[in-house]
Amino acid sequence: AQSVTQLDSHVSVSEGTPVLLRCNYSSSYSPSLFWYVQHPNKGLQLLLKYTSAATLVKGINGFEAEFKKSETSFHLTKPSAHMSDAAEYFCVVILNTGGFKTIFGAGTRLFVKA
Amino acid sequence: SAVISQKPSRDICQRGTSLTIQCQVDSQVTMMFWYRQQPGQSLTLIATANQGSEATYESGFVIDKFPISRPNLTFSTLTVSNMSPEDSSIYLCSAGEGQGANLEQFFGPGTRLTVL
């Protein structure tokens, strides 16, 4: 089955420490991959996207993600967490299943401790 | 990037009634979508709103329950019909730029629906 899996439902880090949010996908084809962030009571905001260009993608607010085909992963990282990063993060994949289908991961809640 | 607004932002409704949610995009877009986000869960695509023709529904969603209109390239509505408490969710509208594997979606702020 073609899908996207976010490996952690919750991640807790201290302010100023690195952030790692993990995402793996399953696809027979090279997918397009996205990370979105959802702050409480707000809509989703696109952080970054991979669409078969450079494998290391830089996004907004200091986030970046690396597409690793051999590991079928697209993990989101940030060198130093800020309190304002506390939110829900969604890994999203567009799969070519005969037509294009967008699938959202289950989400990872990021907590940032002072 | 497209800017999307939704009305209402939230509502509390009685079981058996219907609610229509409006989605307005600040520019013409090819694709518009409606999603449901149940409490504490991820987003599930309800349907693709097609301009000038019937919406394309995902498995588990039907037109009688979730009728959708899209009269032009900047506006769409989703109606949640004959509501029950199980319909309590956040409903999000999105607009897509690009196509296929290059589709990039921009989301509205969502409509938080509570059904009593």
Side-chain angles (χ1 to χ4, degrees):
Chain A
Q2 302 185 89
S3 67
V4 56
T5 303
Q6 291 184 242
L7 297 164
D8 307 292
S9 60
H10 299 87
V11 170
S12 182
V13 301
S14 297
E15 190 173 25
T17 65
V19 175
L20 170 64
L21 304 183
R22 298 183 294 168
C23 174
N24 283 93
Y25 68 92
S26 171
S27 173
S28 302
Y29 306 92
S30 290
S32 295
L33 295 154
F34 305 78
W35 276 98
Y36 283 84
V37 60
Q38 185 179 36
H39 290 273
N41 300 314
K42 293 190 176 180
L44 282 84
Q45 181 182 22
L46 179 66
L47 280 177
L48 48 80
K49 63 180 179 180
Y50 167 78
T51 55
S52 76
T55 56
L56 181 62
V57 181
K58 294 187 183 297
I60 62 171
N61 301 335
F63 285 94
E64 62 182 39
E66 185 172 7
F67 173 69
K68 292 186 176 180
K69 187 174 182 179
S70 61
E71 300 176 9
T72 61
S73 69
F74 190 59
H75 301 334
L76 182 70
T77 60
K78 183 174 181 178
S80 176
H82 191 272
M83 295 296 288
S84 61
D85 294 327
E88 187 87 19
Y89 291 79
F90 294 97
C91 182
V92 181
V93 60
I94 295 180
L95 300 173
N96 185 349
T97 60
F100 290 95
K101 188 174 181 68
T102 299
I103 300 176
F104 276 72
T108 297
R109 171 76 63 177
L110 176 64
F111 297 93
V112 182
K113 299 174 290 186
Chain B
S1 62
V3 176
I4 300 159
S5 58
Q6 285 184 234
K7 288 195 297 187
S9 59
R10 58 179 62 225
D11 207 342
I12 300 173
C13 301
Q14 296 296 320
R15 148 197 324 257
T17 63
S18 298
L19 175 72
T20 296
I21 303 168
Q22 298 180 6
C23 177
Q24 180 73 56
V25 187
D26 69 341
S27 59
Q28 293 185 344
V29 291
T30 308
M31 313 285 283
M32 292 183 74
F33 306 90
W34 287 98
Y35 287 84
R36 180 174 73 183
Q37 186 177 24
Q38 293 178 302
Q41 296 190 27
S42 186
L43 279 73
T44 301
L45 179 64
I46 297 171
T48 302
N50 300 309
Q51 194 267 327
S53 65
E54 192 172 284
T56 304
Y57 289 85
E58 296 298 306
S59 177
F61 297 97
V62 295
I63 187 170
D64 290 345
K65 176 66 175 177
F66 297 101
I68 288 171
S69 78
R70 188 170 175 202
N72 56 52
L73 293 176
T74 65
F75 185 78
S76 179
T77 67
L78 168 75
T79 298
V80 186
S81 302
N82 187 24
M83 288 183 285
S84 66
E86 292 71 34
D87 294 320
S88 298
S89 288
I90 299 172
Y91 292 86
L92 296 112
C93 169
S94 79
E97 295 184 347
Q99 293 190 29
N102 294 315
L103 179 68
E104 185 173 321
Q105 294 188 51
F106 301 93
F107 286 84
T111 295
R112 184 179 294 272
L113 171 61
T114 302
V115 184
L116 302 177

